Amino acid sequence: MPEPHLNGAYYGPSIPPPSKTYHRPGHGGGGGGCSCIFNCICTCIFQILCTLLVIIAVVGFICWLVLRPNKVNFHISDASLTQFDFSTRNNTLYYDLHLNISIRNPNKRIGIYYDSIEARAMYHGQNFSIVKPDPFYQGHKNTTDLNLVFTGQDSVQLGSEYNVEKDSGVYQIGLRLYMRIRFKFGWIKTKKIKPMIMCDLKVPFKGNGTFERTQCNLDW
């Protein structure tokens, strides 16, 4: 028997509606935007740092052109040794040493504050006396003389080099200056720096020759 005409209608099981897909913001394709912002920030920071470095370099170069800093010179211009006796009985050194230090500031626009100086007299690596000169200010293109007097006694351990130098009449004495200084450019003063001055001297005992002017080395 022929089926009746159903006019195209569907009478089978119901068809479920299509599922909807939801996208949370910040996921999936949104990652590209965050990466772009991060790159832009990094680029800006890099450009700012480069600009600052260039500015600092230019300012430093201009300051150098204006100030033209020159090295400060230290010399021992004179030395006198009138006592340098070592007693093996109690390992005591008796000494009387006078040194004259010449400090030359050749700069036209830079002054120097010597806030503290500790002068140590040494013999073959052993300290035997310490003096502390008063603080002072050294102006432009100025030479300042310091007179250091080391006198007294100290307990030290000396070897055979003492007897050799006693026979020759010339002693190898070291001087170390531990300083705290500041530079002055116009109204600007720098922070304190701590250079050390090293002087290796050959000092004749009284009546055994003339002391030769000696250049000292500056260690920053």
Side-chain angles (χ1 to χ4, degrees):
M1 181 178 180
E3 296 182 359
H5 182 65
L6 299 179
N7 296 324
Y10 177 75
Y11 293 94
S14 60
I15 301 175
S19 60
K20 296 182 179 180
T21 303
Y22 296 93
H23 297 279
R24 294 183 181 179
H27 292 270
C34 293
S35 177
C36 181
I37 294 174
F38 178 77
N39 290 336
C40 290
I41 293 174
C42 291
T43 301
C44 291
I45 293 175
F46 178 76
Q47 291 176 347
I48 292 172
L49 291 176
C50 289
T51 302
L52 289 176
L53 290 175
V54 171
I55 293 174
I56 292 172
V58 171
V59 172
F61 180 68
I62 293 174
C63 290
W64 180 83
L65 287 177
V66 173
L67 299 173
R68 293 292 179 93
N70 294 307
K71 182 180 178 181
V72 180
N73 295 312
F74 293 80
H75 290 87
I76 306 299
S77 56
D78 193 20
S80 173
L81 184 63
T82 57
Q83 184 181 20
F84 208 66
D85 300 321
F86 180 65
S87 172
T88 57
R89 182 174 57 85
N90 55 7
N91 289 328
T92 299
L93 179 67
Y94 301 88
Y95 52 87
D96 190 352
L97 172 66
H98 294 240
L99 299 176
N100 182 272
I101 304 177
S102 178
I103 306 174
R104 175 64 179 170
N105 176 16
N107 295 286
K108 295 181 180 180
R109 298 179 178 87
I110 302 175
I112 305 173
Y113 287 95
Y114 295 85
D115 293 321
S116 69
I117 301 177
E118 181 179 281
R120 300 182 184 181
M122 307 176 66
Y123 184 67
H124 289 276
Q126 296 189 64
N127 295 331
F128 64 84
S129 185
I130 296 176
V131 297
K132 297 181 179 181
D134 294 331
F136 65 95
Y137 172 76
Q138 186 177 37
H140 316 146
K141 296 186 73 66
N142 177 268
T143 300
T144 302
D145 290 326
L146 294 181
N147 293 309
L148 303 180
V149 178
F150 303 92
T151 183
Q153 63 187 56
D154 193 25
S155 178
V156 295
Q157 297 291 331
L158 300 183
S160 60
E161 65 275 355
Y162 172 79
N163 292 324
V164 173
E165 294 179 9
K166 182 178 180 180
D167 292 338
S168 69
V170 178
Y171 294 91
Q172 298 186 29
I173 295 176
L175 177 69
R176 301 293 182 266
L177 301 178
Y178 297 90
M179 304 187 299
R180 292 186 178 185
I181 65 175
R182 291 173 294 154
F183 293 105
K184 181 176 180 290
F185 317 99
W187 53 270
I188 300 176
K189 298 177 184 178
T190 66
K191 293 183 178 180
K192 290 183 181 181
I193 58 176
K194 301 177 183 179
M196 181 181 68
I197 309 302
M198 300 179 292
C199 312
D200 296 321
L201 313 173
K202 293 182 178 180
V203 183
F205 195 68
K206 58 180 180 180
N208 285 319
T210 303
F211 175 78
E212 296 183 1
R213 179 183 174 93
T214 303
Q215 171 79 44
C216 300
N217 297 316
L218 177 61
D219 184 5
W220 294 100

